[in-house]
Amino acid sequence: MQLAAESEIDFQSEIYKDAYSRINAIVIEGEQEAYENYITLAELLPESKDELIRLSKMESRHKKGFEACGRNLNVTPDLEFAREFFSPLHQNFQDAAAEGKVVTCLLIQSLIIECFAIAAYNIYIPVADDFARKITEGVVKDEYSHLNFGEVWLKENFAESKAELEQANRQNLPIVWRMLNKVEKDAHTLAMEKEALVEDFMIQYGEALSNIGFTTRDIMRMSAYGLTA
Ligand code: Y39
Ligand code: FE
Ligand code: FE
Ligand code: FE
């Protein structure tokens, strides 16, 4: 992998800034929705309320950090693009929350979205500008702790959650693939390759499913739903 410091990335070029206006917006909108999702989860899981409110506050700090990254490059985030980008997952989370389907909410936010964030931030860090790299390094550590919350809860409630997890995976994993396809070109402009994003996502997500209690065979079957998107 090439490091930003040794590469030819021109962070001030119009091409870079145009792509950044969408990727930065996706991250800002994602952090805002993550903030809201953890507040919703705190209402659904009163026994974990304090912990979930703490996670929600971390997400709003992340949002502020990434807003600063955009300002630092003189980029205006395209938030309308970002809201559209997240709307299918956002809608599925809202629908699940309205039905009290906490397992589906946890799969969407704490597994899928957190793994997506971890993959994106891991791939971004080596090719980020110095300001954004420092911010993102701090953020990605937090995202691992958010993923861990979901893993621990779902592991403790695995037997009762298994069927709903499989259904929620089937419904939501293809959406992640469509999201990756929509962002592939802009990510490439930022020196982030889709293949690397997919690989990192599948490693994080597969590990999470394994930690929760799924077998290798289950994980293979569940992962295959991504491929048909
Ligand atoms: O839990 C979180 O903080 C997640 C909301 C943030 C999602 C970030 C999504 C990043 C996708 C960027 C795609 C770049 C190729
Ligand atoms: Fe909303
Ligand atoms: Fe976050
Ligand atoms: Fe998070």
Side-chain angles (χ1 to χ4, degrees):
M1 193 184 304
Q2 208 176 23
L3 296 181
E6 304 159 4
S7 75
E8 304 291 308
I9 300 172
D10 179 357
F11 300 109
Q12 283 303 325
S13 73
E14 288 311 314
I15 290 170
Y16 189 93
K17 286 170 49 169
D18 174 61
Y20 206 82
S21 73
R22 287 178 292 280
I23 304 269
N24 183 235
I26 285 169
V27 171
I28 291 167
E29 174 66 17
E31 297 293 355
Q32 172 65 30
E33 293 190 14
Y35 163 78
E36 293 166 15
N37 290 350
Y38 280 112
I39 290 177
T40 301
L41 280 162
E43 289 159 8
L44 292 170
L45 292 171
E47 67 279 15
S48 303
K49 184 173 182 218
D50 294 349
E51 171 77 353
L52 286 160
I53 294 296
R54 197 174 65 80
L55 303 192
S56 79
K57 288 182 179 151
M58 293 162 93
E59 302 296 18
S60 76
R61 272 200 303 279
H62 298 168
K63 179 188 175 192
K64 292 196 181 80
F66 290 122
E67 285 171 336
C69 294
R71 277 197 302 275
N72 180 57
L73 293 180
N74 272 304
V75 167
T76 305
D78 185 346
L79 292 169
E80 199 180 306
F81 173 85
R83 269 189 284 273
E84 177 78 28
F85 179 82
F86 271 108
S87 64
L89 275 189
H90 185 67
Q91 190 61 51
N92 287 350
F93 184 95
Q94 303 289 350
D95 292 349
E99 292 174 59
K101 293 172 93 174
V102 66
V103 169
T104 300
C105 289
L106 282 171
L107 178 119
I108 293 173
Q109 175 59 47
S110 298
L111 302 188
I112 287 191
I113 297 180
E114 298 295 352
C115 287
F116 194 27
I118 289 167
Y121 299 159
N122 278 340
I123 303 303
Y124 177 54
I125 285 167
V127 294
D129 65 82
D130 289 341
F131 182 87
R133 183 181 323 111
K134 287 184 194 98
I135 302 260
T136 310
E137 281 169 347
V139 168
V140 76
K141 291 195 190 93
D142 289 348
E143 308 302 3
Y144 281 105
S145 77
H146 303 171
L147 171 60
N148 187 255
F149 175 88
E151 286 175 352
V152 168
W153 195 94
L154 291 166
K155 183 191 167 99
E156 284 170 359
N157 298 274
F158 184 61
E160 319 84 87
S161 306
K162 191 166 185 255
E164 188 177 329
L165 281 171
E166 298 208 18
Q167 159 62 26
N169 172 80
R170 183 186 304 226
Q171 182 192 28
N172 292 287
L173 196 58
I175 296 174
V176 175
W177 257 242
R178 279 178 233 133
M179 291 165 84
L180 276 164
N181 288 336
K182 277 192 195 142
V183 86
E184 177 178 7
K185 193 167 172 289
D186 288 328
H188 180 82
T189 302
L190 272 51
M192 300 163 69
E193 296 306 329
K194 184 187 169 196
E195 291 69 32
L197 291 164
V198 169
E199 180 180 309
D200 205 274
F201 175 85
M202 282 319 303
I203 291 170
Q204 307 296 339
Y205 190 62
E207 262 177 27
L209 294 176
S210 168
N211 292 339
I212 289 165
F214 285 103
T215 64
T216 303
R217 188 186 170 88
D218 291 331
I219 295 167
M220 295 284 182
R221 194 170 37 74
M222 291 169 78
S223 300
Y225 285 105
L227 306 172
T228 58

